[in-house]
Amino acid sequence: MERASERRTASALFAGFRALGLFSNDIPHVVRFSALKRRFYVTTCVGKSFHTYDVQKLSLVAVSNSVPQDICCMAADGRLVFAAYGNVFSAFARNKEIVHTFKGHKAEIHLLQPFGDHIISVDTDSILIIWHIYSEEEYLQLTFDKSVFKISAILHPSTYLNKILLGSEQGSLQLWNVKSNKLLYTFPGWKLGVTALQQAPAVDVVAIGLMSGQVIIHNVKFNETLMKFRQDWGPITSISFRTDGHPVMAAGSPCGHIGLWDLEDKKLINQMRNAHSTAIAGLTFLHREPLLVTNGADNALRIWIFDGPTGEGRLLRFRMGHSAPLTSIRYYGQNGQQILSASQDGTLQSFSTVHEKFNKSLGHGLINKKRVKRKGLQNTMSVRLPPITKFAAEEARESDWDGIIACHQGKLSCSTWNYQKSTIGAYFLKPKEMKKDDITATAVDITSCGNFAVIGLSSGTVDVYNMQSGIHRGSFGKDQAHKGSVRGVAVDGLNQLTVTTGSEGLLKFWNFKNKILIHSVSLSSSPNIMLLHRDSGILGLALDDFSISVLDIETRKIVREFSGHQGQINDMAFSPDGRWLISAAMDCSIRTWDLPSGCLIDCFLLDSAPLNVSMSPTGDFLATSHVDHLGIFLWSNISLYSVVSLRPLPADYVPSVVMLPGTCQTQDVEVSEETVEPSDEMIEYDSPEQLNEQLVTLSLLPESRWKNLLNLDVIKKKNKPKEPPKVPKSAPFFIPTIPGLVPRYAAPEQNNDPQQSKVVNLGVLAQKSDFCLKLEEGLVNNKYDTALNLLKESGPSGIETELRSLSPDCGGSVEVMQSFLKMIGMMLDRKRDFELAQAYLALFLKLHLKMLPSEPELLEEITNLSSQVEENWTHLQSLFNQSVNVKRK
């Protein structure tokens, strides 16, 4: 047991499955064109892997395998995708697996440039290396002085064979011939750092983005500046040109705005403000199409189409997740396919565990939605609600009225949301008479019928509202339900009982209908979180002393207490059947408690503290969110598809750190047999033939083998055919077999001696059976196991024939009959095969009862058996009577 627990350091119940809601980060995207499929594909980075989307529908095509570190830059050519992580970069084939890895840099790589059959990499120490892709060999290395020329951008100008253009943070640019390893020309620049280089549709012309927000359109052949543009939004992050016949250039900025410039009129024609909520990481016009692809660190990938008369872009397609860490997540519905999540960015979104096309955003909460629509406000930042801290959802009446209630950070009023319409609801629920301004909503719940919402406030008041009309339907208590802030509210499944808890350390039970206090329980510490499992009536309470108390709302008593967390408990979740309670705390651990046994059965650590946990209604996945992470992480329930030991963990159990799952589904890793040692817990239990020598044990034979032994003559009489069997005209050939339950072919008689006598041996006619021979051997060695096994393998007719042949009249003897009775006595002494001993003895007495008194040896044996049978049966009868009396009581 101890050795098994020492070996098991990872989670035995949950395995990382995949991450939801991750689409992009601050690494610029890469656009590729597939000549085979005639489609554009966009690749975005999500931490240690990248996603590839089909631009036509923005559907996810592939997810790459993970790399050891976060990806710091990407590039692509027609066949491969290149991703750098740390001082190493790799080439990926088919958007998935690594086929080449390039090692040689000592500093972090921040620029990659495909160059035919070669790839150029630049690190932060301004060391440039040119590699041959397929041989992974280094072709050329250039070293630059960081204080004089620190490379910040790289470009291969069109039609410039074997030449690259380098931009620096000092402002100068250099044109190199990498084949001859010569510096061809140095452009003095504009005394401002170069942030972006982009080839213009015209040959010899490049666009240069500067730290000041300027975009210089420069002819590198004649070293002549053609035009200048300036944006007041900070450094230029990326540049792209339209190639569908419109002379338009787009330039990105750190504040999320995009400027559109007309190259013929040399003026700004449009501004795409707030295209992203963070800096524009990358933007690319698709070749000969009016489509602009953008991505940013706000976890969004957007495609804009330019089909308007004034040249403005409108949003065509997008994939978007949360742009700030999550505050709360909960499964929505009973099918376990949607997860509602609230974030610090103020949005409420729904993520599908089945496919990304079912994701949807319920948007930002607006203080006055009608006013925004009426005035047509473009910038809604001033009227947006603060982030949602807690919410409750119920799908029972989602098609009739709002089914989600949410409380916001620092706000008194709670907002309603409509999942079906994917928008904020019609009401803001708050009490009318409230004098103080510092009162906020701290806890919410919605009834299982979807008709009522219960809201707890920091003042100790608990109010009930109607979700259909938004009307206040009463409060619990005279003035307030608790003296301190309300930490949790819950309503049972039948709207009979309401449970509330406050920071003063009291748990109160109220009648939901008349709002009367029924019972109050004093807690050992102030509660932090309260969670009710409605089906089982089990209430979980996380206290400020890092312990967990579990109550039964029927008896209103504490039934379990758990301790073990070393930090504040952030969230809890019940399994669908109510057997497990899963808790997540700031000590970076997720623990699973078994309620029936009251023990800790699973524990594992994470490198980032879990903030929220939610168990799927179907029990297949556990969803978690973590500090400083934008995604939702799914963990599969191993107990659904594998044998899992649920033995309690020892007090000194030390869990290990488990890595968060990636965005692709985890694949089974083949483990060598040498590393896998079977745990004592997982070995299947083989039941012995007899648990204890004092226990009466039955055999494993079916009833048909022994139950009807006394009635065989009646059964044969019923089954006797009415007409004799007709002999067929030409009987088919049958291989001779030996009669019995197990079919065996009869061995042919071999006649090796040609001089054998033809006189018939009469002893052959009276040949004894194997059973009789084994009984005769038992008289000598007192072992009857072989004889008993022969009877077990025979059918009812065979057993009757064997017992009938024991008589001296049928070829047996008195000694053989005595040996049979000793065999029955042995069975009764061992208390094994109890029902067989009774059945065989009953049949023996039926067949040979008349001759027993005439044989003193048999009479003595049968007398001893009688006392044994009576003793065993008396003991069993007393046990039967005791069980019957207990059942009647």
Side-chain angles (χ1 to χ4, degrees):
M1 169 71 183
E2 292 179 0
R3 283 184 277 108
S5 62
E6 288 175 4
R7 286 195 299 266
R8 199 195 94 180
T9 55
S11 174
L13 283 180
F14 300 106
F17 182 65
R18 61 171 299 201
L20 301 177
L22 295 177
F23 300 99
S24 173
N25 59 8
D26 58 342
I27 305 301
H29 66 263
V30 176
V31 174
R32 304 168 61 203
F33 178 75
S34 173
L36 180 64
K37 297 183 178 180
R38 308 292 299 173
R39 285 186 177 181
F40 286 98
Y41 294 94
V42 58
T43 301
T44 60
C45 176
V46 284
K48 297 179 180 179
S49 60
F50 57 82
H51 291 183
T52 301
Y53 296 91
D54 183 358
V55 174
Q56 187 173 359
K57 294 184 178 180
L58 213 55
S59 57
L60 184 63
V61 174
V63 178
S64 74
N65 295 333
S66 297
V67 294
Q69 302 178 41
D70 287 341
I71 296 174
C72 48
C73 67
M74 290 194 308
D77 59 11
R79 293 160 293 183
L80 302 172
V81 176
F82 302 92
Y85 45 96
N87 58 357
V88 180
F89 72 98
S90 299
F92 292 78
R94 293 176 291 277
N95 301 309
K96 189 171 182 64
E97 62 261 11
I98 297 176
V99 291
H100 302 290
T101 301
F102 305 88
K103 299 179 181 179
H105 285 280
K106 295 182 179 179
E108 181 177 307
I109 300 171
H110 72 111
L111 291 174
L112 291 174
Q113 175 64 48
F115 198 68
D117 290 338
H118 297 76
I119 176 78
I120 303 173
S121 60
V122 182
D123 60 21
T124 53
D125 289 339
S126 291
I127 296 177
L128 183 147
I129 301 179
I130 303 176
W131 310 79
H132 190 275
I133 294 177
Y134 300 103
S135 65
E136 302 179 12
E137 295 177 353
E138 185 177 314
Y139 173 76
L140 177 67
Q141 178 172 329
L142 300 175
T143 303
F144 296 85
D145 187 358
K146 290 195 297 182
S147 60
V148 179
F149 192 88
K150 185 175 182 180
I151 302 175
S152 59
I154 185 171
L155 174 69
H156 169 52
S158 296
T159 70
Y160 280 55
L161 189 64
N162 300 325
K163 298 175 182 64
I164 57 172
L165 180 66
L166 303 176
S168 68
E169 291 185 359
Q170 289 77 13
S172 60
L173 294 93
Q174 294 182 4
L175 184 65
W176 281 79
N177 187 320
V178 294
K179 186 175 183 180
S180 61
N181 192 14
K182 290 183 179 179
L183 175 62
L184 302 180
Y185 192 78
T186 299
F187 301 90
W190 295 266
K191 298 181 180 180
L192 292 168
V194 177
T195 58
L197 290 174
Q198 181 63 38
Q199 174 69 50
V203 181
D204 302 326
V205 179
V206 297
I208 305 168
L210 304 179
M211 289 290 294
S212 62
Q214 280 184 310
V215 180
I216 309 296
I217 308 298
H218 195 77
N219 189 310
V220 294
K221 184 176 182 179
F222 301 105
N223 191 17
E224 178 183 352
T225 299
L226 303 180
M227 58 189 80
K228 293 182 180 181
F229 304 106
R230 183 181 181 86
Q231 295 180 173
D232 297 330
W233 300 325
I236 301 298
T237 58
S238 53
I239 303 172
S240 185
F241 292 89
R242 285 184 69 172
T243 55
D244 60 337
H246 296 267
V248 175
M249 179 191 70
S253 66
C255 54
H257 306 327
I258 299 175
L260 299 174
W261 301 88
D262 191 319
L263 300 178
E264 286 186 352
D265 298 338
K266 300 181 182 181
K267 66 176 182 179
L268 181 69
I269 58 172
N270 216 318
Q271 299 179 27
M272 297 171 60
R273 289 186 172 268
N274 299 313
H276 289 268
S277 58
T278 58
I280 304 294
L283 55 86
T284 307
F285 276 107
L286 298 187
H287 186 62
R288 294 186 177 180
E289 290 193 23
L291 297 176
L292 176 67
V293 181
T294 64
N295 79 298
D298 57 351
N299 196 17
L301 172 65
R302 293 184 170 94
I303 297 180
W304 311 81
I305 184 169
F306 293 82
D307 54 357
T310 58
E312 73 275 6
R314 63 178 178 87
L315 187 61
L316 181 63
R317 285 180 287 271
F318 66 92
R319 287 284 180 264
M320 181 181 67
H322 288 292
S323 60
L326 281 65
T327 58
S328 182
I329 62 171
R330 286 292 179 268
Y331 269 93
Y332 182 78
Q334 296 301 316
N335 58 6
Q337 295 181 358
Q338 289 86 27
I339 301 177
L340 279 175
S341 64
S343 167
Q344 294 178 7
D345 59 7
T347 61
L348 183 66
Q349 297 192 31
S350 172
F351 294 98
S352 172
T353 60
V354 179
H355 197 279
E356 290 180 342
K357 67 181 180 181
F358 300 117
N359 295 354
K360 62 179 181 179
S361 174
L362 280 70
H364 287 87
L366 302 177
I367 297 177
N368 194 328
K369 185 177 176 182
K370 294 182 179 178
R371 176 172 168 268
V372 172
K373 280 189 174 182
R374 185 171 62 251
K375 293 191 175 183
L377 295 178
Q378 295 295 328
N379 187 6
T380 60
M381 296 295 293
S382 59
V383 293
R384 286 182 178 177
L385 287 170
I388 295 173
T389 55
K390 294 180 180 179
F391 66 86
E394 180 58 51
E395 66 170 354
R397 305 301 293 269
E398 66 172 3
S399 59
D400 300 323
W401 52 75
D402 302 338
I404 304 172
I405 179 77
C407 56
H408 298 263
Q409 181 180 342
K411 294 284 290 184
L412 171 62
S413 58
C414 292
S415 59
T416 61
W417 298 74
N418 194 301
Y419 184 84
Q420 206 169 50
K421 297 179 181 178
S422 302
T423 182
I424 191 170
Y427 305 109
F428 287 95
L429 307 180
K430 66 176 181 178
K432 295 182 179 179
E433 299 177 358
M434 194 61 65
K435 298 179 181 179
K436 297 181 180 179
D437 296 332
D438 57 348
I439 298 176
T440 60
T442 55
V444 291
D445 193 21
I446 188 169
T447 58
S448 58
C449 60
N451 290 319
F452 299 99
V454 182
I455 301 174
L457 306 180
S458 59
S459 62
T461 305
V462 179
D463 299 301
V464 180
Y465 297 86
N466 187 288
M467 289 294 292
Q468 182 182 9
S469 61
I471 299 175
H472 184 263
R473 292 300 187 189
S475 302
F476 293 95
K478 293 183 179 179
D479 296 327
Q480 55 188 18
H482 293 272
K483 294 182 180 179
S485 174
V486 178
R487 295 286 176 85
V489 293
V491 184
D492 68 347
L494 300 176
N495 292 2
Q496 300 294 317
L497 199 65
T498 303
V499 188
T500 63
T501 183
S503 58
E504 77 279 5
L506 287 178
L507 180 71
K508 295 185 178 182
F509 297 84
W510 309 81
N511 185 298
F512 180 79
K513 189 174 182 180
N514 54 30
K515 315 293 187 298
I516 297 176
L517 180 65
I518 300 175
H519 187 69
S520 180
V521 177
S522 180
L523 303 173
S524 60
S525 180
S526 178
N528 181 35
I529 299 170
M530 186 176 74
L531 181 67
L532 175 66
H533 188 261
R534 284 175 173 164
D535 293 341
S536 62
I538 298 297
L539 185 75
L541 282 167
L543 308 181
D544 284 344
D545 60 358
F546 312 152
S547 66
I548 299 174
S549 297
V550 181
L551 291 90
D552 184 359
I553 64 173
E554 293 294 332
T555 61
R556 304 179 190 116
K557 294 181 179 180
I558 296 178
V559 293
R560 293 287 185 273
E561 289 185 344
F562 302 119
S563 60
H565 281 293
Q566 303 299 321
Q568 176 186 330
I569 299 173
N570 293 326
D571 201 2
M572 297 187 299
F574 281 104
S575 62
D577 56 2
R579 291 183 62 90
W580 298 344
L581 176 62
I582 304 161
S583 57
M586 289 302 293
D587 58 3
C588 296
S589 70
I590 294 180
R591 297 173 183 255
T592 304
W593 313 87
D594 187 62
L595 296 182
S597 64
C599 299
L600 175 68
I601 58 173
D602 188 64
C603 176
F604 62 97
L605 296 177
L606 299 154
D607 53 4
S608 180
L611 291 178
N612 299 279
V613 289
S614 182
M615 193 74 178
S616 167
T618 56
D620 50 358
F621 292 111
L622 175 72
T624 63
S625 67
H626 300 265
V627 174
D628 296 332
H629 284 270
L630 307 181
I632 299 172
F633 299 91
L634 294 182
W635 308 79
S636 60
N637 185 356
I638 302 177
S639 66
L640 293 184
Y641 55 84
S642 180
V643 179
V644 175
S645 170
L646 297 182
R647 294 191 179 184
L649 298 178
D652 57 348
Y653 176 74
V654 179
S656 63
V657 178
V658 179
M659 299 301 295
L660 290 174
T663 52
C664 63
Q665 299 179 7
T666 54
Q667 299 176 350
D668 295 335
V669 180
E670 294 184 0
V671 184
S672 61
E673 295 181 0
E674 298 178 357
T675 61
V676 179
E677 297 182 6
S679 171
D680 296 339
E681 305 172 1
M682 308 309 296
I683 297 176
E684 293 186 6
Y685 175 73
D686 293 331
S687 177
E689 294 185 5
Q690 189 174 20
L691 298 177
N692 194 305
E693 294 181 356
Q694 301 299 322
L695 297 177
V696 173
T697 307
L698 305 180
S699 70
L700 298 178
L701 295 180
E703 291 183 352
S704 60
R705 298 278 191 95
W706 56 268
K707 192 174 183 180
N708 297 318
L709 287 177
L710 294 178
N711 303 319
L712 275 180
D713 50 350
V714 179
I715 295 174
K716 288 181 179 180
K717 198 172 183 179
K718 287 183 178 179
N719 295 338
K720 185 178 180 180
K722 296 180 180 180
E723 297 180 0
K726 296 180 180 179
V727 180
K729 295 179 181 180
S730 58
F733 172 76
F734 292 101
I735 300 176
T737 57
I738 298 175
L741 291 180
V742 180
R744 289 181 297 174
Y745 297 114
E749 296 182 359
Q750 296 181 357
N751 189 6
N752 298 326
D753 188 5
Q755 303 296 331
Q756 186 179 6
S757 173
K758 297 182 179 181
V759 178
V760 178
N761 185 3
L762 296 177
V764 177
L765 299 177
Q767 186 179 5
K768 295 180 181 180
S769 66
D770 292 341
F771 178 65
C772 289
L773 295 176
K774 296 301 179 183
L775 287 179
E776 290 178 351
E777 292 178 5
L779 284 174
V780 180
N781 54 21
N782 201 25
K783 294 181 179 179
Y784 297 99
D785 292 334
T786 309
L788 179 59
N789 290 332
L790 288 175
L791 275 189
K792 286 183 178 180
E793 294 175 359
S794 303
S797 299
I799 294 173
E800 185 192 27
T801 304
E802 293 285 2
L803 295 189
R804 193 180 293 275
S805 64
L806 297 179
S807 171
D809 299 338
C810 299
S813 64
V814 176
E815 289 78 12
V816 175
M817 297 177 69
Q818 183 183 3
S819 180
F820 176 81
L821 293 177
K822 286 186 177 182
M823 184 188 75
I824 299 297
M826 179 269 295
M827 297 171 66
L828 294 176
D829 284 339
R830 292 183 180 180
K831 296 184 178 181
R832 289 167 55 178
D833 302 321
F834 185 77
E835 83 281 17
L836 296 184
Q838 301 288 337
Y840 296 162
L841 181 59
L843 181 59
F844 179 84
L845 293 175
K846 178 182 177 182
L847 297 175
H848 309 296
L849 184 61
K850 292 182 179 180
M851 68 170 295
L852 290 179
S854 61
E855 301 292 340
E857 297 176 353
L858 297 180
L859 191 60
E860 183 181 354
E861 287 291 339
I862 205 68
T863 305
N864 296 335
L865 281 179
S866 177
S867 60
Q868 280 184 285
V869 171
E870 186 177 358
E871 181 183 352
N872 289 339
W873 182 249
T874 303
H875 177 64
L876 282 179
Q877 188 69 38
S878 63
L879 295 177
F880 291 156
N881 293 337
Q882 182 181 359
S883 301
V884 170
N885 291 335
V886 171
K887 185 176 181 181
R888 287 176 179 175
K889 291 179 180 180

